[in-house]
Each structure stands twice: as structure tokens, then as C-alpha cells.
Amino acid sequence: MAEFQLACQDWKRTLIGSVHSFGYMIGLLIVGPLSDRFGRKSLIIVTGIAGAVLGTVKTFVSSYWIYVALELLEAAIGDFCSPLYILGLEMVATKSRVTFSTLCNMGFGIGGLLLPLLAWLIPYWRTLLRVIYIPGLLSICLIYLLDESPRWLLVKGKKSAALEIIRNAAKMNKIEINENLNLISFETDNESSFVAALRDTFKSRSILKRVFVCIVWWFTCTLVNFGMALNSVILQGNKYVNFAMSSVMDILSFILGAYILKKFNRTGPLITSFLACAIFCIGQPFIPNNLLWLVNSTYMAGKLMSSIAFNTVYIFTSELFPTHTRNSIHALCSSIGRIGSIIAPQLPLLMVYWTGIPNVIFGAVSLVAGLLTLLAPDTADTNLPDTVGQAEALKVGTAKPGNKCCKHRMKTDCTSL
């Protein structure tokens, strides 16, 4: 505020958060297709290093608008979450998807918990950002620590490379496999095949309907989840503790969500979490302010439900679309949905009219998203679809058991041995 003279310009402060989300939205539209075209591993390394460099550079600028420009650029080409998540999901067996997703998201929650503690200990913002961004340069080490997705390699016709990774996995896990594995290669690695795959995917009416539903899910989750995290600092009490508590809700949601998804599939938990979030958010502003414990507890309960919904949406979206275009469509839904996170930083400006407006908005959109979930097929215990036909075969209200792996037969869904 002092260095950029923002004391009487609230819109400039909230603009930074919206610009970051806008940059991330653009980046998903770029990184997702590039990941499907050139591979998950390559994009993870490039975006990881770019984010660390740009994030560190912006700590040295003295102009507000240059800072905003770097914020946009860093968000656009400096986030490797999408390709990293898809890479991991494509390397685990059907029964391990929820566990893997939980472990990945746990890192997000722990990072969110450490952030306010670091901000408390390091009050000067330039130093704080350097502490956060510089470790990202270690992304260069992923060249040696990551394998490419065997499923992506098979889709691109690189059967020998996929087989080598599978052999290494089997060796590490002390599993014997048949050297004459019948691995199916779907495509050759050329640009026209990728464009054709995108075209075939969007020709399907059922898949287009899913894309629409997923966009609403992502809009709701980013608006509510990020909005509630931001607004937690204006609750009564210590702002650092309140923000840390919102991250604790994220961590709890990963643990509870993993149990719920394993026991109750996908659609039921998602509908329930959206509707519960709507009830808590709409009800919280009407609680008397003198009941501080109840006000804050209700707020955190809404944040917990929102986080459970977000975790479910992340894995649910990746299970609805074929391998050829999975990362592209996952990134498309996430990208358009990021309109919610662009709007979220601006909602506190409405509190001059009534302090409860942001929470009522959070509740209303959660209600709509929960009802739309009825249009999506349940994908629990089903193999990830590799083709458009397999994706279309997923029907609303059904969930077919996935194929199992054995020592002597390999399915394309079981590349992790």
C-alpha cells in the first residue's frame, strides 16, 4: 500500500487478485493443449521454472502497473498444477485415483496453512514473495525425477517408451510382468491427429453437456472457495489465524473427501457438499454478531463443504473425458470457470451495501451447481475413457466396475504396477 500508494484506492488492491486469476485462466487454455500435444512432463518443467523466475522478478519492480503485468504473465505461464495433476492421475490404477488425488491436494492445503504463518513472520512483502517463489527453481530437478505418462505415450504411438516406464515400475515394485504385453497404441504423434481428436470430442452432444456442467462446477468452486479464503481475513479475530483456519478446512476436506468418495461414489457427495455449502453460506450473515463462535464456525463449515466440492470436481472432471483431449478439456473447464476467481476479489467491495452480500452470492451459486450435478454420469470405479466412444458410454446414474490388473495382463488403465 505504501510503496505503490494504494491507501485510498481499494480497486487497485483487489485488481491484483483478479488479474492473477485472469492470467491463470489464459494460461490453462495454453498449457492444457500444449500438454496434450507435447507431453505432461515437458510442460511441468517449463511452467515450473517460468513461474519461479517471473515471481521472483516482480519483487524487484517499483511500478504498480509493471507489477500487475508481471502478475498476469506469471499466472499465465508459471503454474504447473494442471499437467502435473493429469500426469499423476494417468499413472495410477482405478482404485488408487481418490488416494492419489487426496495426497496431491494435501500439498495445497499444507501450503495454504504455511502461507499466513510465513506472512506473520515475514511482514515485508518483497522478502515474503522471494521466500515463496525462489524454491520453484528446483523444478529443473523434475527432468530426472519424473516419467512421462505411459497412457499419453500410448495415445501418441510411442509404445516402446511406455513399455520401458512400465518395466521400471514393475521392477521397483518387485512385480513380474509378461514381456509380451499387449499394449494398444491409439494414435500417431502428429498435429492433425490432435486437432481431429478435439473435433471428434466436441461433436458429441453428451460430452458437450458435460463440458457445460463442469464449467458451472469450476465457476462455483473457484468463486466460493477462493472468495471465502479471501474474506476470512475480515472475520472478527486475528486475520492470520482466520486465514490459517480456512486452510485447515482444506486439509480436513481432503481427508473427509477421500473417505466419502471411496464409500459413496461421485455424484452423491458432490450434490450434498454443494447444497450444504449453500445452507451454511446463506445462513451465516443472519447469525447475531455477538455469537462470534457461531458466526466463525458456520463460516468455516461452509468453507469445508466448498473445499470438499472442489476436490470432488477436480477428480470428477478428469474422469469424464477421453485421454486424447483430457488435459485440454480439463484445462478448458477450469479456465472458463476461473471467471469465478476473477470475480471473487471484487466481492468485498459490495460489503459497503450489506456485509452479507458475498456469502449470499456464494450460497446461491452453490445451490445451482448442486442441482446441475444431476446431469452428470457417476464415474466411480470406472476405467478412464481413452476414446470418445468410451466416454459416451458413461451414462447418468450408472457406474461400471473397472477392470482389474493381474501379473500377466496389462490394461491401458493400469500403467502403474
Side-chain angles (χ1 to χ4, degrees):
M1 289 175 60
E3 294 182 37
F4 291 145
Q5 300 177 357
L6 306 180
C8 298
Q9 302 180 77
D10 289 345
W11 68 273
K12 280 191 174 182
R13 280 182 280 167
T14 59
L15 179 65
I16 293 175
S18 295
V19 164
H20 184 92
S21 294
F22 180 66
Y24 191 51
M25 181 177 73
I26 295 173
L28 285 168
L29 294 175
I30 298 172
V31 173
L34 288 178
S35 172
D36 283 335
R37 178 71 180 89
F38 297 106
R40 312 331 188 186
K41 179 178 177 178
S42 300
L43 267 294
I44 289 169
I45 295 168
V46 171
T47 53
I49 296 173
V53 171
L54 291 169
T56 304
V57 168
K58 71 182 181 182
T59 67
F60 294 97
V61 302
S62 57
S63 165
Y64 170 81
W65 292 111
I66 292 177
Y67 182 89
V68 170
L70 287 171
E71 188 80 29
L72 176 69
L73 190 60
E74 179 254 317
I77 62 173
D79 192 298
F80 58 22
C81 288
S82 178
L84 184 60
Y85 183 84
I86 295 297
L87 168 66
L89 196 71
E90 291 180 343
M91 294 185 75
V92 299
T94 300
K95 64 180 182 180
S96 303
R97 276 187 230 149
V98 172
T99 302
F100 166 79
S101 179
T102 301
L103 290 174
C104 286
N105 290 334
M106 193 67 73
F108 176 84
I110 294 172
L113 181 60
L114 290 176
L115 176 61
L117 300 180
L118 284 173
W120 204 346
L121 293 171
I122 309 172
Y124 186 50
W125 68 275
R126 293 185 192 271
T127 305
L128 173 64
L129 290 184
R130 288 165 194 162
V131 169
I132 292 172
Y133 280 105
I134 289 176
L137 295 173
L138 294 174
S139 298
I140 190 70
C141 299
L142 297 178
I143 294 175
Y144 308 101
L145 297 176
L146 282 183
D147 288 320
E148 183 55 86
S149 163
R151 182 182 291 273
W152 180 85
L153 291 170
L154 288 173
V155 166
K156 293 298 180 180
K158 300 179 179 180
K159 186 184 296 186
S160 59
L163 184 58
E164 182 63 25
I165 294 174
I166 292 169
R167 286 172 177 160
N168 291 336
K171 182 178 179 180
M172 180 176 292
N173 290 283
K174 298 179 180 179
I175 294 175
E176 295 181 4
I177 62 173
N178 188 337
E179 287 299 316
N180 297 315
L181 291 175
N182 183 25
L183 298 180
I184 302 174
S185 180
F186 293 98
E187 294 282 354
T188 57
D189 187 13
N190 59 70
E191 186 174 357
S192 61
S193 64
F194 172 67
V195 174
L198 272 178
R199 185 173 58 248
D200 291 342
T201 300
F202 284 105
K203 278 183 179 178
S204 169
R205 293 179 120 188
S206 61
I207 291 182
L208 278 176
K209 182 174 69 175
R210 290 176 205 171
V211 170
F212 170 74
V213 173
C214 288
I215 288 172
V216 175
W217 287 346
W218 278 91
F219 172 84
T220 301
C221 289
T222 58
L223 175 68
V224 178
N225 204 266
F226 295 149
M228 295 191 78
L230 290 171
N231 287 354
S232 65
V233 300
I234 57 179
L235 292 173
Q236 296 183 57
N238 186 291
K239 65 180 179 181
Y240 298 103
V241 173
N242 289 340
F243 190 93
M245 283 302 300
S246 74
S247 295
V248 170
M249 294 302 104
D250 288 331
I251 295 174
L252 286 177
S253 75
F254 305 143
I255 299 171
L256 290 175
Y259 172 77
I260 292 170
L261 289 179
K262 282 189 174 183
K263 192 172 181 64
F264 300 105
N265 298 331
R266 302 286 187 267
T267 54
L270 186 56
I271 294 172
T272 302
S273 56
F274 272 135
L275 296 183
C277 178
I279 293 171
F280 285 124
C281 287
I282 294 174
Q284 192 261 359
F286 298 98
I287 300 174
N289 288 331
N290 61 322
L291 299 175
L292 178 60
W293 66 272
L294 185 57
V295 172
N296 287 359
S297 296
T298 304
Y299 190 92
M300 292 303 168
K303 180 66 167 66
L304 176 63
M305 292 297 105
S306 172
S307 296
I308 291 175
F310 207 166
N311 301 337
T312 306
V313 165
Y314 221 108
I315 188 171
F316 204 168
T317 303
S318 63
E319 294 173 337
L320 290 170
F321 305 106
T323 297
H324 301 68
T325 52
R326 179 173 296 117
N327 204 167
S328 296
I329 299 180
H330 191 281
L332 175 66
C333 296
S334 176
S335 176
I336 299 176
R338 296 289 163 171
I339 294 173
S341 60
I342 293 173
I343 296 173
Q346 308 301 324
L347 291 183
L349 299 178
L350 298 176
M351 295 177 69
V352 296
Y353 304 105
W354 179 46
T355 56
I357 289 180
N359 271 22
V360 171
I361 292 175
F362 296 153
V365 295
S366 296
L367 179 62
V368 173
L371 295 177
L372 281 178
T373 303
L374 296 171
L375 301 177
D378 201 313
T379 55
D381 298 322
T382 60
N383 288 331
L384 290 176
D386 287 308
T387 64
V388 173
Q390 291 174 6
E392 289 178 325
L394 299 172
K395 301 296 183 182
V396 176
T398 63
K400 300 177 182 179
N403 293 325
K404 305 294 184 182
C405 288
C406 66
K407 291 185 178 180
H408 305 293
R409 188 173 69 174
M410 175 61 57
K411 297 290 184 181
T412 56
D413 186 55
C414 302
T415 49
S416 175
L417 295 176

